[in-house]
Amino acid sequence: MTNQWKLKEIVLMSILGVVFGIIYLAFFLVGQAIQNILAPFGLAPFGYEVIFGIWFIVSIVAAYILRKPGVAFTAEVIAGITEVLLGTTAGPGLILSAAVQGAGAELAFALTKWKDYRLRVLIFSGMSAALISFVWHLFYAGNITLTPWLLVATLVVRVISGALLAGVLGKWISDQLAKTGVLRGYALGKELQKRRETGAA
């Protein structure tokens, strides 16, 4: 499999980035709502952490479908740019955060030399994005001022969220798309078709 991107892959990656950028923006409201619910119990910092994996999902979806170096990182940055263009309250700095998250997700695939896209690697990608973004937010968002127990607890919650909402859910969404046949011209679609042919043989 060549690592050179085809035009149709760039187009699909861009579409995914824009679509998930819109979804990401919507989830800021979800996180705020959860935060408001948890605030009276002194657990407001967990408001966004429980759903933080959503903000890595396009990296996993795009990489799992296209299977090329740099896709996870680039798709995440496109999503971040989309959020900024749509007027996120986080401001332009969000693009830098998206780059950090994308780099974290890309790391898992890089360690396999972009050859392994099984569920465990997708889960690891979500977890590595969670871990690296957590370190970034210690300083960028001032989370380092949280008490030690809260830091550890929010890290654990973010990593679990990354594993489930980005890794597991990202694979499921991609597989459902592939089953419709719309991805037949991409790596995931071709793999699914090959499996069907092998099973029928």
Side-chain angles (χ1 to χ4, degrees), residues 8-76:
K8 66 178 183 179
E9 293 171 334
I10 295 174
V11 170
L12 178 60
M13 178 182 62
S14 300
I15 291 173
L16 290 171
V18 171
V19 169
F20 278 97
I22 296 170
I23 293 172
Y24 287 1
L25 196 58
F27 265 85
F28 273 109
L29 299 177
V30 176
Q32 186 63 56
I34 297 174
Q35 194 173 58
N36 290 340
I37 292 171
L38 296 177
F41 305 99
L43 300 174
F46 291 96
Y48 286 97
E49 299 299 337
V50 294
I51 59 169
F52 218 99
I54 284 294
W55 285 291
F56 316 138
I57 196 170
V58 73
S59 293
I60 281 81
V61 170
Y64 181 49
I65 292 173
L66 301 177
R67 307 187 179 193
K68 297 285 178 71
V71 168
F73 173 80
T74 307
E76 193 69 38

Side-chain angles (χ1 to χ4, degrees), residues 150-161:
L150 202 51
L151 275 177
V152 174
T154 51
L155 171 60
V156 170
V157 171
R158 185 180 296 200
V159 169
I160 292 174
S161 181

Side-chain angles (χ1 to χ4, degrees), residues 76-91:
E76 193 69 38
V77 171
I78 292 173
I81 292 173
T82 299
E83 289 180 84
V84 171
L85 292 177
L86 289 176
T88 176
T89 56

Side-chain angles (χ1 to χ4, degrees), residues 2-201:
T2 176
N3 287 331
Q4 185 175 358
W5 295 0
K6 297 177 181 177
L7 178 59
K8 66 178 183 179
E9 293 171 334
I10 295 174
V11 170
L12 178 60
M13 178 182 62
S14 300
I15 291 173
L16 290 171
V18 171
V19 169
F20 278 97
I22 296 170
I23 293 172
Y24 287 1
L25 196 58
F27 265 85
F28 273 109
L29 299 177
V30 176
Q32 186 63 56
I34 297 174
Q35 194 173 58
N36 290 340
I37 292 171
L38 296 177
F41 305 99
L43 300 174
F46 291 96
Y48 286 97
E49 299 299 337
V50 294
I51 59 169
F52 218 99
I54 284 294
W55 285 291
F56 316 138
I57 196 170
V58 73
S59 293
I60 281 81
V61 170
Y64 181 49
I65 292 173
L66 301 177
R67 307 187 179 193
K68 297 285 178 71
V71 168
F73 173 80
T74 307
E76 193 69 38
V77 171
I78 292 173
I81 292 173
T82 299
E83 289 180 84
V84 171
L85 292 177
L86 289 176
T88 176
T89 56
L94 182 66
I95 298 174
L96 187 54
S97 292
V100 170
Q101 293 169 185
E106 189 76 47
L107 175 62
F109 302 114
L111 291 175
T112 70
K113 297 182 179 179
W114 295 277
K115 293 180 179 179
D116 191 344
Y117 291 87
R118 287 175 291 179
L119 178 59
R120 65 187 184 188
V121 177
L122 303 184
I123 289 174
F124 178 56
S125 178
M127 293 173 70
S128 63
L131 178 59
I132 290 176
S133 68
F134 187 85
V135 174
W136 164 251
H137 285 124
L138 284 178
F139 304 98
Y140 180 74
N143 290 352
I144 198 166
T145 60
L146 296 175
T147 59
W149 80 266
L150 202 51
L151 275 177
V152 174
T154 51
L155 171 60
V156 170
V157 171
R158 185 180 296 200
V159 169
I160 292 174
S161 181
L164 298 179
L165 296 184
V168 177
L169 181 59
K171 182 181 187 302
W172 183 84
I173 290 173
S174 303
D175 286 339
Q176 299 313 303
L177 281 174
K179 288 176 182 177
T180 67
V182 298
L183 301 177
R184 65 173 63 91
Y186 303 92
L188 176 58
K190 292 176 181 177
E191 180 188 77
L192 182 61
Q193 182 61 33
K194 187 176 180 180
R195 268 192 252 142
R196 285 172 176 168
E197 292 174 352
T198 301

